[in-house]
Amino acid sequence: MKFQYWNPQIEKMPRADLELLQLQKLKAEIDIAFRTPFYKERLTKIGIKSSDDIKTLDDLKKIPFTTKDDLRDGFPYGFLAIPKEDVIRLHSSSGTTGIPTVIYFSKDDIKRWADFMARCIYSTGCTKNDVFQNMITYGLFTGGLGFHQGGEEVGMLVIPAGAGNTARQFKMMQDYGTTVLHATPSFLLHLETKMKEAGVERDSLVIKKAFGGAEPYSEDTRKRIEALLKVDVYNSYGLSEMNGPGVAFECQCKDGLHIWEDGYIAEIVNPDTLQPVKEGETGELVLTILCREATPILRYRTRDLTSFYTEPCACGRTHRKLRRITGRSDDMLIINGVNVFPSQIEEVIMSMKEVGNNYLIIVEKDGALDKLTVKTEVNAETFMDDSRHLNALKEKIKETLQTSISISPKVELQESGSLPISEGKAVRVIDNRPKDV
């Protein structure tokens, strides 16, 4: 197999040199972090007065972890390290409390992010001769614009198709000769079903590669997509707090995700003890960004569970590889690529006086896509009311939830006392989707 490298000097840099580069970048990021109200207080409190106090990479472990709650508490500008007039973009993700986590970007931050994304895309064998159809949500979500700017940096013809509307997606694939797709794994599977319904022949398409992201998926799912769509599928990893996509990506070997260590320092810790796990053991991924000046984040607890590969990659890259994400150390659900916290649903339901005290969230597969059902009890008076009032309440809950979590769930109203009650900790979520393997 012939491998191609976007930046061979960096991607194949000897480990000793790469770690020296990380230390230099970490010291620069520490100096940037001192410009934020949050880190100035936190670093000073533990006795770090400047980057001069960081002598080795191990000194990073002196710094406490940063959590999503910290980012929310710092909303809106507690983590901003540059003047607001030098910020050119923000992205945000929703949170359990209604307070988003916001990441700001300078012009140079965007350029660096685009370069990392180009490295990811190029590592899969794509070139400027490809036509890239980006079928992921644009907007505050980082996935759309992240891949878009990376594709343009490579020189590909980028089609900002956005999510959904399969008939239109097929038309664009045929009209423009799309060769590369980006979508959630669920939507890629959904495409195959809709292709048959629409009478679209696979031979009429020239797609050859697809990038799957925004939700975890199994190796069996990857193989199924590859067999059904007759494409090579590459796994990507990222999160909005670390720019978005582009943190780690599979190369042409498709055997683990290279985490770009000139842009990120990765640690894996036991989520209960918060101590480092042994090399190769599964734990929670902790990330420190080294490539952003507007919003520095040190030792961020991603809640994602993974492990490092211990063996080198056949492609010759020296950057370590992550195994497929196996789950999360918190209760966040990923539904068709959208992050949903049960507490967001609870907040909506419990704000309505007609609703009882018990509810149940059920997630299952409906074909290739995820299906969300919310069952909630209503008080006896409401349940015995006119059916028109019940239907109106059901629509009100559905619409309010869609506004809160960006997903339209199925809502079922239950008689008070009809849902099971746990003696211990309440079981609020039943996830019936097939488990990753």
Side-chain angles (χ1 to χ4, degrees):
M1 183 183 297
K2 184 179 179 181
F3 301 109
Q4 59 184 39
Y5 310 92
W6 183 250
N7 189 336
Q9 182 180 358
I10 292 292
E11 293 172 57
K12 297 195 287 183
M13 180 177 283
R15 286 297 309 177
D17 293 341
L18 182 54
E19 289 174 6
L20 180 60
L21 177 62
Q22 282 188 307
L23 179 59
Q24 293 170 349
K25 288 193 168 189
L26 174 60
K27 291 170 72 70
E29 201 73 23
I30 293 290
D31 285 334
I32 292 171
F34 265 104
R35 301 173 195 159
T36 71
F38 176 84
Y39 283 119
K40 183 177 181 179
E41 178 182 354
R42 170 163 288 192
L43 294 173
T44 302
K45 190 174 182 179
I46 62 172
I48 296 178
K49 299 178 180 179
S50 74
S51 61
D52 292 337
D53 294 318
I54 303 297
K55 308 296 185 183
T56 70
L57 288 176
D58 281 342
D59 288 338
L60 177 63
K61 295 182 176 63
K62 298 176 182 177
I63 300 173
F65 297 106
T66 303
T67 67
K68 189 176 284 288
D69 284 339
D70 290 329
L71 295 178
R72 293 195 195 100
D73 291 343
F75 178 85
Y77 296 119
F79 282 78
L80 183 60
I82 63 174
K84 193 162 58 172
E85 57 266 29
D86 292 334
V87 174
I88 68 165
R89 191 197 298 175
L90 69 81
H91 284 280
S92 73
S93 59
S94 61
T96 60
T97 63
I99 300 175
T101 58
V102 182
I103 303 300
Y104 301 96
F105 296 83
S106 69
K107 184 178 292 186
D108 286 339
D109 290 339
I110 294 295
K111 290 178 180 177
R112 281 187 285 266
W113 183 18
D115 190 70
F116 277 106
M117 281 307 309
R119 186 190 301 182
C120 294
I121 292 169
Y122 200 70
S123 71
T124 67
C126 292
T127 71
K128 64 180 182 180
N129 297 319
D130 282 298
V131 178
F132 176 41
Q133 190 162 324
N134 198 12
M135 303 186 298
I136 207 83
T137 303
Y138 279 70
L140 291 175
F141 175 60
T142 55
L145 283 169
F147 269 88
H148 183 113
Q149 61 201 20
E152 289 185 340
E153 192 73 11
V154 170
M156 307 160 83
L157 169 56
V158 179
I159 306 172
N165 199 335
T166 51
R168 185 165 173 262
Q169 301 284 6
F170 290 135
K171 184 72 166 57
M172 286 189 284
M173 291 178 206
Q174 293 171 325
D175 287 346
Y176 305 118
T178 299
T179 58
V180 183
L181 305 175
H182 173 220
T184 64
S186 297
F187 192 71
L188 290 172
L189 280 175
H190 185 61
L191 276 180
E192 196 274 337
T193 302
K194 289 297 182 180
M195 189 183 299
K196 291 179 178 178
E197 293 179 5
V200 175
E201 295 293 334
R202 177 60 180 86
D203 290 345
S204 69
L205 307 176
V206 293
I207 50 174
K208 57 184 180 181
K209 288 184 174 67
F211 305 136
E215 63 187 21
Y217 63 110
S218 68
E219 184 62 22
D220 284 345
T221 298
R222 186 228 294 267
K223 291 178 179 177
R224 176 175 294 186
I225 296 169
E226 290 184 328
L228 292 175
L229 293 181
K230 299 177 183 176
V231 295
D232 278 327
V233 177
Y234 293 88
N235 197 7
S236 74
Y237 174 75
L239 59 161
S240 61
E241 294 82 1
M242 295 289 123
N243 283 349
V247 175
F249 219 85
E250 286 183 324
C251 66
Q252 288 163 281
C253 296
K254 294 196 294 186
D255 184 27
L257 300 100
H258 290 280
I259 183 161
W260 304 124
E261 294 183 273
D262 58 317
Y264 306 91
I265 295 177
E267 307 169 69
I268 297 180
V269 302
N270 182 303
D272 297 319
T273 67
L274 300 182
Q275 294 302 307
V277 301
K278 293 180 181 178
E279 189 75 13
E281 287 187 357
T282 297
E284 180 182 331
L285 180 64
V286 175
L287 291 172
T288 296
I289 194 163
L290 303 175
C291 55
R292 194 170 58 209
E293 62 179 346
T295 320
I297 296 183
L298 310 175
R299 303 196 79 200
Y300 182 72
R301 292 189 61 184
T302 69
R303 303 290 182 171
D304 291 321
L305 301 176
T306 186
S307 61
F308 288 123
Y309 277 77
T310 56
E311 62 276 5
C313 187
C315 74
R317 290 177 175 86
T318 55
H319 298 241
R320 288 193 293 180
K321 292 191 298 184
L322 296 175
R323 295 190 184 276
R324 185 183 294 274
I325 303 299
T326 58
R328 291 184 58 81
S329 61
D330 61 10
D331 62 350
M332 188 184 80
L333 299 167
I334 301 179
I335 301 175
N336 294 324
V338 178
N339 297 346
V340 177
F341 289 88
S343 53
Q344 288 176 287
I345 295 175
E346 177 177 304
E347 185 178 12
V348 169
I349 292 173
M350 293 302 155
S351 69
M352 299 182 181
K353 63 181 187 337
E354 303 95 337
V355 170
N357 296 324
N358 207 1
Y359 66 93
L360 191 61
I361 301 166
I362 300 174
V363 188
E364 51 199 348
K365 280 291 184 183
D366 184 10
L369 300 179
D370 297 327
K371 175 184 176 183
L372 174 65
T373 300
V374 177
K375 296 184 178 183
T376 180
E377 294 180 355
V378 295
N379 58 49
E381 181 179 346
T382 301
F383 193 78
M384 298 301 293
D385 206 343
D386 189 292
S387 61
R388 290 174 297 178
H389 293 162
L390 283 177
N391 289 334
L393 175 60
K394 184 186 297 186
E395 285 302 309
K396 177 183 176 183
I397 294 173
K398 181 178 179 180
E399 290 174 5
T400 308
L401 283 172
Q402 185 171 7
T403 299
S404 175
I405 64 177
S406 303
I407 290 175
S408 179
K410 178 182 178 182
V411 175
E412 295 181 8
L413 303 182
Q414 306 284 316
E415 186 176 5
S416 181
S418 63
L419 291 178
I421 299 177
S422 301
E423 292 184 3
K425 185 178 179 180
V427 177
R428 297 297 193 192
V429 179
I430 297 177
D431 193 339
N432 290 326
R433 292 174 293 185
K435 302 302 180 186
D436 288 347
V437 295

